[in-house]
Amino acid sequence: PTLSSAPLTVRQLQVDLSHGFARHWHSGDAFRSAYYNALSMSFPYGEQLFIDSVRACLPRLPRTPETENLHTLARDFCAQEATHRHVHTQYNAELQRQGLRNHWEPRSRARYERARHINPMHHLAITAAFEHYTAVFADIVLRPPQMLEGASAEMQQVWRWHALEETEHKTVAFDLYQTLGGSHGWRVRWFLFASISFSTDAMRQTVNNLWHDGTLFKPRTLVSVAQFFFGRPSQGGGWVWLCTRPLLRYLRKDFHPNQLGDPELARTFAQRNAHTWRVVR
């Protein structure tokens, strides 16, 4: 396969979420805030699994001049994911203080325990599938500001920094899987598994967040759900229209993550926002 060669920058975001943030931090919208909060609840444990899956398979990759760059990218992938875990652990602690309960993480733990002993290549395929989801979402979040318009500046910073690094390392798990001879059939099967589990877990946790928030059955919440998924992208909605085609590209045998997204968008964002983080390496 054609491997990505772009170096990865490991950044420490200069944001302290321990002082708290508004319950409806996304433009005063209960649903949008609850949905992004649900995603955050999945990250600390999920990203540790991604790190573990890459580390488990990396020893299978011989050290040659041709593979040395992938070894380096895998190391930096793990470092970027570790910084995400730290920030979202802080984020989730504040959600707990606000009275929300994280049910996504225990479900993920139970699911992993049942599959702990399968071939590490299967775990890597699952990681590649979820990384495709995060890359597609990241590309949308980094576009001009509609998706996060109205959100607090601090939370915009968190989500766009996370999106930037997901865009940068989106090829690593996929390239490692392909280079190690991973099966296309299993890659597709695990993508379908990831699609079902992600969609189910995200909506269950969002509903639970709204329940604890007391806004689940309010008409305004239902309007926001419809607009978010099926509305106009120019108004911060239409996620179904924006995501479906790029997500399904993953099923193609000739797919590679670099076929999607706009690298210039990420580069421009990184240049304009370098003052909001400290480069670790």
Side-chain angles (χ1 to χ4, degrees), residues 143-203:
R143 292 178 195 176
Q146 291 87 355
M147 290 304 165
L148 286 168
E149 191 169 9
S152 71
E154 187 174 63
M155 298 302 274
Q156 287 195 40
Q157 193 175 331
V158 168
W159 284 102
R160 290 200 172 112
W161 157 79
H162 192 151
L164 168 66
E165 296 198 345
E166 292 296 336
T167 297
E168 290 177 336
H169 70 228
K170 66 183 179 180
T171 68
V172 175
F174 184 94
D175 282 344
L176 182 58
Y177 181 79
Q178 296 290 97
T179 303
L180 293 176
S183 154
H184 170 71
W186 276 111
R187 178 166 70 79
V188 167
R189 290 184 191 99
W190 286 121
F191 175 73
L192 296 175
F193 162 81
S195 300
I196 293 168
S197 61
F198 170 80
S199 302
T200 303
D201 286 337
M203 292 315 301

Side-chain angles (χ1 to χ4, degrees), residues 28 55 102 125 151 157 218 262 271:
R55 285 177 173 167
N102 188 344
Q157 193 175 331
K218 292 191 175 180
D262 182 357
Q271 290 166 2

Side-chain angles (χ1 to χ4, degrees), residues 37-108:
N37 290 347
L39 297 182
S40 179
M41 289 172 166
S42 76
F43 288 148
Y45 182 70
E47 288 176 331
Q48 186 60 55
L49 292 183
F50 300 164
I51 292 170
D52 293 345
S53 72
V54 167
R55 285 177 173 167
C57 289
L58 200 57
R60 302 183 180 200
L61 184 68
R63 282 202 174 265
T64 67
E66 292 75 24
T67 64
E68 192 57 38
N69 186 61
L70 186 50
H71 274 278
T72 300
L73 289 172
R75 178 201 66 189
D76 292 341
F77 166 90
C78 294
Q80 283 189 335
E81 294 287 46
T83 62
H84 300 173
R85 287 185 68 248
H86 173 73
V87 170
H88 284 279
T89 297
Q90 252 193 357
Y91 184 142
N92 294 348
E94 171 59 22
L95 297 179
Q96 186 173 13
R97 284 191 290 271
Q98 292 181 6
L100 304 186
R101 295 293 175 262
N102 188 344
H103 298 286
W104 192 336
E105 182 174 316
R107 281 199 297 272
S108 294

